[in-house]
Amino acid sequence: MMEGLPLSATNTSGRLTPEDLGAMMRLAVQQAADTVYFLDANGRILYANEAASRTLGYTAVELASMTGFDLDPALTPEVWRERWAMLEHGGAWTVERRQRAKDGRLIPVAVSANLMHQGDLTMACVFVHDITERRRAQEERREVAQLASVLFDSAPVAIVALDMDGRVNMWNAAAERMFGWTSAETIGSRLPIVPEDKLGEFAQIRAATEKGDVVAGLDRPCVRKDGSHIQVRLSTVPLTGPDGTLTGVIGLLEDTTEQKRLEEQLLQAQRLESIGRLAGAVAHDFNNLLTVINGYSELALGLLDPRDPLRDSIQEIKSAGDRAAGLTQQLLAFSRRQVLQPKVLDINAVVGDLELMLRRLIGEDIELVLARDTALGHVQADPVQVQQVLMNLAVNARDAMPSGGKLIIETANVELSEEMTRRHPDSQPGPYVLLGVTDTGSGMDEATRAQIFEPFFTTKVPGKGTGLGLSTVYGVVKQSGGIIWVYSEPGHGSSFKIYLPRVDAVETPVVEESPRTTTVEGSETVLLVEDQPEVRQLALQVLTMYGYRVLSAGDGNQAIEVARQEPGAIDLVLTDVVMPGMGGLELARTVAPMRPGVKIIFMSGYADHAAMQQEQMPADAEYLQKPFTPDGLARKVRQVLDARTPAGCILVVDDEVEIRRLLRQFLEAAGYRVAEAANGRQATAEVDGGGVSLVITDLVMPEQEGIETIREMRKRHPGVKIVAMSGAFGGRFLRTAEMLGAHATLLKPVRAEALVRTVREVLDR
């Protein structure tokens, strides 16, 4: 007997009687947690337990007067008859419906029913289970699944889910974009992105997955739908079922093609920089040796009789040394350590000047096409080196078109965007001038492109090239602050794109060179400073031979002591730039106040990055490039000694600020120091302060006219030279300015050449 079960009063056997079982069932139904109804064939409620009242809010009396149609909005008499018929034929059914509570709420429920017979009465016993929590959990799972689906499709990296046979179960939108196949094309198929020759590598990944290992950050090549190859970073996570069985793998694939390319570019730039430092150091030491070899060879040739049998041998030594010096200069260009003389240039003019030479160079079977932007901006670069760049690229293009073709040289103003420069780590966004050289020749493969700028790399047969042409181009462009990009494919030619920073300045005016010095002898005192004994001895011998008195020192500190102790004049200091201890630049700054008016020549085998920066070196510094010849040394010394001492400051006076700035640019480009004044009163105060050698003044200005300013200047500072300029009234007042004492006049608008020529003539008087 089960404890707690009620027995009928007449039951003394200890066993359950049918009456007891009936009572127990009624009690169980009445106290059940779920709702229980008894409905007849017409859908009327014959009985409802207490749970029905608790769940729906109706009283037992109310429920007794209701039908199943009142509680289920979707239940109709027709539907109930169909379900009753199913029950009569021995079937049972379970459906999910919604019940309407007394307060109008619709409660999700699971309904199951079967038929019961009580005497002549047939009833449907209906069990109703509240599935609100289950529905809520299902909805939450649906929302989570929907969110996961959104995240899956919107993930920035490609996500692929595979089963254990390697078939695709999921393929998100990022994977579609990365590889080109749509999800519909891949679901159920084997992953199509693995190159045939890389299957072994991916088999290793599968083996790791089967062991349940996480694979992270593997770089692997993959194939796109169009056949192109990309570099992918792969990470995998094993998928397991509820019982822990491995069911598949999720792979995260990130396209690292661009990153890989940038890394390779950076490594290439670093490799070229390392090679450049080595080449520069070698060239520096080599220049010192060549200075000695070539210098003594030239001295020996000057001393030997033309009929001496040794003359031819020494001439061969000298010729070989000259060729070696040329190679050294190319190494210096590549390593960005050559001494440049930058000027504000119009690249179109450089191309135009070379056009005839380029046509002769490439031959008649190659068509030269010039596509120049007529509104091209200016750049700051060494014109000689820019010409060398064009010549080297033209030669390279010619050799790539042995059967003829087309050589296109283009110029244009361009703006490099952030997006463009991100693909090239050595570049900065901003305004540039493009110089493009494109040929229709044989082109290059990727392996060749990666090495073309390295010194001594060449694809030509032995004896047809040194492999320094393109490395020279690279060095000049980089040293000029520019960028060079190369586009080439085998059979489709090559295109070299050079981008030089655009500058907001006018073109440097062409200044006539001083006549070449014919007399190289002298008697002045020269302080020679060189740390290489062989070079110092050669320079000492040459200068002494040409009549100079020479004081020598092995480094900057020794030179300072010599300058302090020397009782006589020191007219010129000839110093190496790069020396241990005190370098040439620091020496020049120390000697200048000790020896006012002393002139300086810097000797250099290369432009050292630390010592030769433009902000450190004087703008008008004189250089003697190593290796030098005895004649070249003597001529340079004579030229610097004979050069006029730079004039004092030139004062530009004009009420138009744009005109003042323009004239200032013209004059500073010619090497003059320039100050500005907006009117005559400011000009007078400036000249009163001293240091002004020449005044260039407009004649029509507010506050104090130019005519009055000239009269005042002539009275107070008769030694100051004056140039009058005017465009008003057709320049009619310029004659008056001359009568008042102006040394020269200029008619506006003033051209750069005329301005520089007039200033030079006035200062030379």
Side-chain angles (χ1 to χ4, degrees), residues 233-482:
R233 182 159 296 154
L234 172 66
S235 300
T236 65
V237 179
L239 279 178
T240 56
D243 59 352
T245 304
L246 189 66
T247 60
V249 62
I250 287 183
L252 281 70
L253 302 99
E254 180 185 3
D255 185 353
T256 59
T257 306
E258 184 68 12
Q259 178 184 341
K260 199 75 175 176
R261 190 181 63 79
L262 291 175
E263 289 174 355
E264 290 173 355
Q265 282 190 350
L266 181 60
L267 288 174
Q268 173 72 353
Q270 291 173 341
R271 184 166 65 252
L272 291 176
E273 180 66 25
S274 298
I275 296 173
R277 285 196 294 269
L278 175 62
V282 170
H284 173 259
D285 294 340
F286 217 66
N287 269 334
N288 284 328
L289 296 174
L290 289 172
T291 298
V292 175
I293 294 170
N294 293 356
Y296 281 112
S297 296
E298 186 168 311
L299 288 177
L301 288 172
L303 296 173
L304 288 174
D305 187 277
R307 295 169 295 181
D308 194 305
L310 288 176
R311 187 176 182 84
D312 290 342
S313 299
I314 295 177
Q315 183 61 58
E316 286 299 321
I317 295 173
K318 178 66 167 54
S319 298
D322 290 340
R323 290 195 299 273
L327 292 175
T328 306
Q329 289 305 307
Q330 289 180 297
L331 282 176
L332 288 174
F334 165 73
S335 60
R336 289 171 275 170
R337 286 166 168 81
Q338 62 179 335
V339 178
L340 298 181
Q341 296 180 330
K343 295 180 174 59
V344 178
L345 296 179
D346 177 2
I347 294 294
N348 280 345
V350 176
V351 174
D353 291 342
L354 285 179
E355 181 178 356
L356 291 177
M357 184 181 297
L358 289 173
R359 292 188 185 278
R360 289 196 297 268
L361 180 68
I362 62 178
E364 296 181 355
D365 56 346
I366 296 177
E367 179 186 359
L368 177 62
V369 178
L370 302 181
R372 289 174 285 184
D373 187 342
T374 56
L376 195 67
H378 293 95
V379 302
Q380 187 158 4
D382 187 320
V384 176
Q385 295 302 322
V386 173
Q387 290 178 351
Q388 186 65 48
V389 165
L390 269 172
M391 296 290 288
N392 286 3
L393 291 177
V395 169
N396 199 64
R398 179 200 64 191
D399 294 344
M401 298 183 287
S403 301
K406 183 181 293 186
L407 175 63
I408 304 168
I409 299 177
E410 61 175 320
T411 62
N413 293 320
V414 296
E415 291 282 339
L416 293 187
S417 64
E418 291 277 1
E419 181 180 355
M420 292 177 66
T421 55
R422 273 197 299 269
R423 299 197 298 269
H424 299 271
D426 59 344
S427 60
Q428 297 292 329
Y432 288 81
V433 168
L434 164 67
L435 173 60
V437 179
T438 302
D439 66 66
T440 58
S442 55
M444 295 176 282
D445 58 23
E446 186 175 351
T448 302
R449 287 199 310 271
Q451 302 177 75
I452 56 173
F453 294 130
E454 295 182 6
F456 304 114
F457 173 79
T458 180
T459 58
K460 300 173 183 177
V461 297
K464 292 296 184 180
T466 62
L468 288 172
L470 290 180
S471 62
T472 300
V473 170
Y474 177 86
V476 170
V477 172
K478 291 294 183 181
Q479 194 173 358
S480 302

Side-chain angles (χ1 to χ4, degrees), residues 25-43:
M25 289 182 63
R26 286 193 299 273
L27 182 61
V29 169
Q30 185 67 22
Q31 296 181 354
D34 287 340
T35 298
V36 180
Y37 301 108
F38 294 134
L39 279 69
D40 64 13
N42 295 317

Side-chain angles (χ1 to χ4, degrees), residues 38 121 184 187 232 354 415 441 460 468 602 617 689 764:
F38 294 134
L121 181 62
I187 297 297
V232 168
L354 285 179
E415 291 282 339
K460 300 173 183 177
L468 288 172
F602 294 101
M617 281 305 231
D764 286 348

